[in-house]
Amino acid sequence: MTDHPHTVLIVDDDEDIRDILREVLTDEGFSVEMARDGQEGLDRLRSGVFCLVLLDLMMPRKDGWAFRAEQQLDPLIRDVPVVVITASGAARLELLGGIKAVLHKPMSYDAILTTVRAHC
Amino acid sequence: MTALRDILREHDAELVAAAAPAQRSAARALRQVRRALGADDVVDDDAADDGALLSAVTAARLRRALRRVAAAAGVTPTWAEWEAIDDALDGPRLQAADADAADADADAAADADPIDASAELARLRVLMRAVIEQVPLAVAIVEAPSGRRLIANERNVAILGRLAPEAAAGIDGYGVYEGFRDDGTRLGARDWPVARSLISGEVVNGEVVELRRGDGTTVFIRISASPIKDDAGQTVAAISIFEDVTAERHLQDGVRFLAEASQLLGSSLDYEQTLKTLATLAVPRLGDWCAVEMLRPDGTSEQLAVAHIDPTKVELAVALRDRWPPDPAAARGMPHVLRTGAAELWPEVTDEMLVEGASDAEHLAHSRALGLRSAMVVPIVVNARVLGALTIVAAESGRRYTPADLLLVQEVAARAGLAVENAALYRTTQDAVRMREDFLAVASHELKTPLTALHLQVARLQGQAKKGPVVVDAERLERLDRQVGRLMRLVEQLLDVSRLTAGKLALDVGDVDLRELAAAAIGRVDAGSDGGVHGGGREGVDEGTGITLTSSGPAVGRWDKGRLEQVLANLIGNATKYGAGKPIDVDVSGDNDVVRLTVTDRGIGIPLADHERIFHRFERAVSASNFGGIGLGLWIVQQIVAAHRGTVSVKSIPGEGASFMVALPRRPSEVSG
């Protein structure tokens, strides 16, 4: 648990993606927490203070859409900005509500840093 | 009113005298005329009159004398009376022309009148009679102005069905015939062409009328009519000539129907709706009934459409079919056509046929009530494959189908077959396109994830390299290698799909021990390398997965080792992925002919409804978002097993796990099929 104002929550079911994002962001001085699916992501989000959520969409148990739906209903975590990371096209992005940005895989190193810096 | 017959009686002596010198013959002939006109109250000895010989000259003299005395008395003989007179005067002479020759010579010598013209007239009259009877048309001549029938040849009866006595009397009786125009309106008595010729002198050329005959049957007749005028231009009669153009009309209707049907069949890819419309279009052009029966994939058939002008009859037909479904083994009719693909033509539906086709007395009664007369059943065929049958039946119209009708309906059915095939091909193509799109979406998603990780790793290293020496440890290298490995396997799967789809899977066959192969595959999983084809979810869930291998009997066969490694990797990989971390059993057991591989997990299992589907390309029993992988694994397994002439099957209870069984013949090359 951390109250660091520059903590990013990474929600992705793919270990390799989680690891490299953690490394990239830690290198740049951000603090990082990780979750393997939407449910774990919500649990983490509720128990900490985050400047941004990097959210994958296709995940087991609870996917990105379900994560967003539940997040928007919870006033305590509703305002945490969310950037979606997806390998899909524009599939059902409109159902995600007011997300800040979409990063399409494979995104560049700089794109990640620029996006995260804009919010943290 | 003085009638002709009165004049005949009163002026008998004068007429006989005018026929001199053949007065005896003339007297006999006049008696016959009187009798023909119903004027003779004396019953003569028929035998005596039968032999009456009258020369053309004498006959001509008698006609002239008759005309003279009639004119003097103010009487104009009717056409019919002249007919009767001619019959009486010419008949006997025709029967004994030779015997009459001498008499004629004597007449010629004794009389200076231009008798040759009269003889010629009489001959022409005989000729006309012959022509009227022999011409393959119905000819009727009616008298002006009454419209009374004078002459009607035999063909009138053939076409009209009967010569209505009401119509014989005059124009007002013509309405007894039920004639209809193209627009369906009925002809009144004075609308008939011959009536118009009489009344207004109109010349009618080839007007087609639909005639409903007394027995309920329908014919199309083409009528021409014109007035007959005398030298003074006065209409004395009218002639009506008509022919039965039903066959021609049906052909025209058929061609028009074919054109419309072709357009219809080519206009839509919804073939079910199209065939329903086709049935409606066929009625009443081709028949009183039209039904479309289509075969289902399981070999049974269903009635897609049934049409009749009268909706209540359609309901009746549907109800009859529900109650007495057609016997699929029937020796003729629709089921037979569906079985054999051979068209059937029944020019005459006989009562025996109805009896044969009926299930019971009630069924027979209903069948009889439909009044079926003639029928055609043709298969809807594409590439020698029977898709359905088109049935056309004539009932109340009384139409009888000919081989020409059958050809036409076969042509329509062939086009219907193409339409059905087109629609099916279109659906298949659409499905394939959709499936490919799904596949590309999933494949690109799966490819992008390891590609992203790889890309970012390299970018990070590049960034670090700019600042100073980079230390690459074993763990980082292993991670890079793992991502490259994921990409390679995915690309390999995609290539497999393309190879298998193209049917180019060449087996590299050798002696393979499936037990050893299974042990090696399990070893790869246990060693922690990513032996499965699945994508994500490696950590945690897989830990502690114990895979047990059991075996019995021979396990060696002539197979492709590399391909069977793929099968094992897929099945064990799936078991690991969906096995909920519980123990997995792998069993290899063989006998003389077959070796069976069974991979059993105790995981989430597969719903029964999905057991077949999971072997399709790009299919998964669970949604794509829940598990990685591109849904190709089982399809590839099945293709490889099939290439070895083996089988793969699944048993599963949802929530309790799944068991995949592969049966491989030990010597696939000796298995036929």
Side-chain angles (χ1 to χ4, degrees), chain B residues 115-427:
Chain B
I115 46 175
D116 286 351
S118 285
E120 188 59 25
L121 268 181
R123 259 200 302 281
L124 279 175
R125 188 171 162 277
V126 172
L127 264 178
M128 185 190 82
R129 272 282 165 108
V131 168
I132 285 176
E133 280 308 331
Q134 294 307 311
V135 76
L137 300 163
V139 178
I141 296 173
V142 297
E143 179 184 69
S146 67
R148 204 162 62 86
R149 184 165 61 225
L150 300 176
I151 293 176
N153 65 1
E154 273 304 303
R155 201 161 278 255
N156 274 269
V157 182
I159 294 175
L160 300 174
R162 59 174 184 143
L163 281 177
E166 302 94 318
I171 292 179
D172 291 338
Y174 295 178
V176 73
Y177 291 116
E178 292 183 56
F180 297 87
R181 300 180 186 88
D182 258 355
D183 64 7
T185 55
R186 183 166 173 177
L187 269 68
R190 289 168 179 268
D191 297 327
W192 284 93
V194 72
R196 278 145 53 200
S197 293
L198 277 180
I199 296 164
S200 62
E202 182 181 346
V203 176
V204 180
N205 201 359
E207 208 168 276
V208 176
V209 171
E210 182 185 347
L211 181 76
R212 252 165 248 173
R213 302 192 282 205
D215 62 355
T217 60
T218 298
V219 285
F220 288 90
I221 53 178
R222 179 161 48 219
I223 311 171
S224 295
S226 71
I228 298 172
K229 297 182 178 180
D230 63 13
D231 294 345
Q234 203 67 29
T235 298
V236 292
I239 182 165
S240 173
I241 297 178
F242 54 99
E243 62 188 312
D244 184 344
V245 292
T246 310
E248 192 181 309
R249 179 69 174 227
H250 285 161
L251 191 65
Q252 273 175 7
D253 278 351
V255 168
R256 206 175 302 152
F257 172 74
L258 187 59
E260 282 178 30
S262 301
Q263 197 179 5
L264 172 77
L265 290 168
S267 67
S268 166
L269 287 164
D270 178 0
Y271 78 87
E272 292 188 357
Q273 186 52 48
T274 306
L275 290 180
K276 283 177 190 166
T277 315
L278 180 76
T280 320
L281 209 61
V283 172
R285 287 240 178 98
L286 282 188
D288 301 304
W289 291 94
C290 178
V292 180
E293 187 90 7
M294 295 304 286
L295 275 174
R296 295 198 194 94
D298 64 1
T300 61
S301 69
E302 64 173 328
Q303 192 171 58
L304 189 65
V306 56
H308 188 277
I309 296 178
D310 181 354
T312 60
K313 289 214 171 186
V314 171
E315 279 170 33
L316 176 68
V318 170
L320 285 183
R321 193 185 192 282
D322 281 350
R323 186 147 166 217
W324 292 284
D327 174 11
R332 59 181 154 202
M334 182 270 290
H336 186 247
V337 172
L338 287 179
R339 281 203 319 276
T340 62
E344 291 182 6
L345 168 66
W346 303 105
E348 193 86 46
V349 174
T350 61
D351 196 56
E352 291 79 63
M353 287 182 192
L354 297 181
V355 171
E356 188 191 298
S359 308
D360 54 46
E362 199 186 345
H363 187 199
L364 180 62
H366 281 292
S367 300
R368 279 180 176 149
L370 290 175
L372 311 179
R373 298 242 187 152
S374 184
M376 297 181 280
V377 190
V378 302
I380 297 172
V381 185
V382 163
N383 299 329
R385 197 158 42 89
V386 179
L387 307 175
L390 186 63
T391 304
I392 306 275
V393 180
E396 49 274 21
S397 67
R399 187 165 168 179
R400 284 174 54 109
Y401 294 119
T402 63
D405 294 321
L406 187 69
L407 273 180
L408 179 94
V409 177
Q410 281 179 303
E411 186 60 41
V412 172
R415 288 174 202 203
L418 284 176
V420 173
E421 183 74 350
N422 274 345
L425 285 175
Y426 180 72
R427 276 182 203 179

Side-chain angles (χ1 to χ4, degrees), chain B residues 403-666:
Chain B
D405 294 321
L406 187 69
L407 273 180
L408 179 94
V409 177
Q410 281 179 303
E411 186 60 41
V412 172
R415 288 174 202 203
L418 284 176
V420 173
E421 183 74 350
N422 274 345
L425 285 175
Y426 180 72
R427 276 182 203 179
T428 308
T429 313
Q430 269 194 324
D431 286 349
V433 167
R434 200 175 305 122
M435 203 183 272
R436 182 147 298 193
E437 278 169 4
D438 289 352
F439 168 69
L440 284 176
V442 179
S444 78
H445 179 267
E446 291 298 315
L447 285 169
K448 278 173 182 171
T449 299
L451 202 59
T452 303
L454 200 57
H455 174 65
L456 292 176
Q457 290 279 6
V458 173
R460 183 164 172 256
L461 286 174
Q462 279 172 332
Q464 287 173 348
K466 279 177 194 161
K467 293 169 191 163
V470 181
V471 180
V472 182
D473 57 17
E475 193 221 323
R476 190 179 285 192
L477 279 178
E478 194 192 299
R479 224 191 289 163
L480 284 172
D481 184 51
R482 196 167 62 215
Q483 282 144 13
V484 172
R486 274 173 79 179
L487 281 171
M488 281 167 57
R489 273 192 303 279
L490 283 166
V491 169
E492 199 54 44
Q493 272 200 349
L494 294 179
L495 290 176
D496 276 348
V497 169
S498 117
R499 256 178 248 142
L500 290 166
T501 307
K504 286 179 191 157
L505 185 72
L507 295 182
D508 182 10
V509 176
D511 282 331
V512 177
D513 188 323
L514 193 60
R515 203 199 65 81
E516 280 176 19
L517 225 53
I522 293 166
R524 276 194 293 277
V525 177
D526 278 349
S529 72
D530 186 10
V533 293
H534 55 291
R538 268 182 310 284
E539 81 280 2
V541 274
D542 284 358
E543 282 166 24
T545 294
I547 305 180
T548 314
L549 174 65
T550 52
S551 72
S552 61
V556 181
R558 299 284 296 169
W559 304 311
D560 183 323
K561 183 169 175 247
R563 291 296 172 188
L564 289 193
E565 279 174 347
Q566 255 184 298
V567 169
L568 282 159
N570 269 298
L571 292 180
I572 295 173
N574 276 344
T576 315
K577 196 184 339 179
Y578 301 110
K582 293 175 185 164
I584 293 164
D585 297 329
V586 178
D587 180 68
V588 177
S589 57
D591 55 31
N592 281 341
D593 302 317
V594 178
V595 180
R596 288 182 182 80
L597 164 74
T598 312
V599 179
T600 307
D601 68 58
R602 294 170 179 79
I604 57 172
I606 303 156
L608 188 64
D610 291 326
H611 284 189
E612 191 193 332
R613 194 172 60 84
I614 52 171
F615 290 104
H616 294 174
R617 266 187 301 178
F618 323 137
E619 294 280 8
R620 264 182 295 214
V622 291
S623 73
S625 63
N626 282 346
F627 288 92
I630 46 182
L632 290 172
L634 286 175
W635 184 76
I636 291 176
V637 165
Q638 193 184 40
Q639 297 297 310
I640 293 171
V641 171
H644 284 91
R645 303 212 185 283
T647 56
V648 56
S649 58
V650 62
K651 277 185 198 160
S652 173
I653 298 169
E656 293 183 18
S659 188
F660 284 86
M661 288 143 290
V662 171
L664 292 169
R666 296 180 61 195

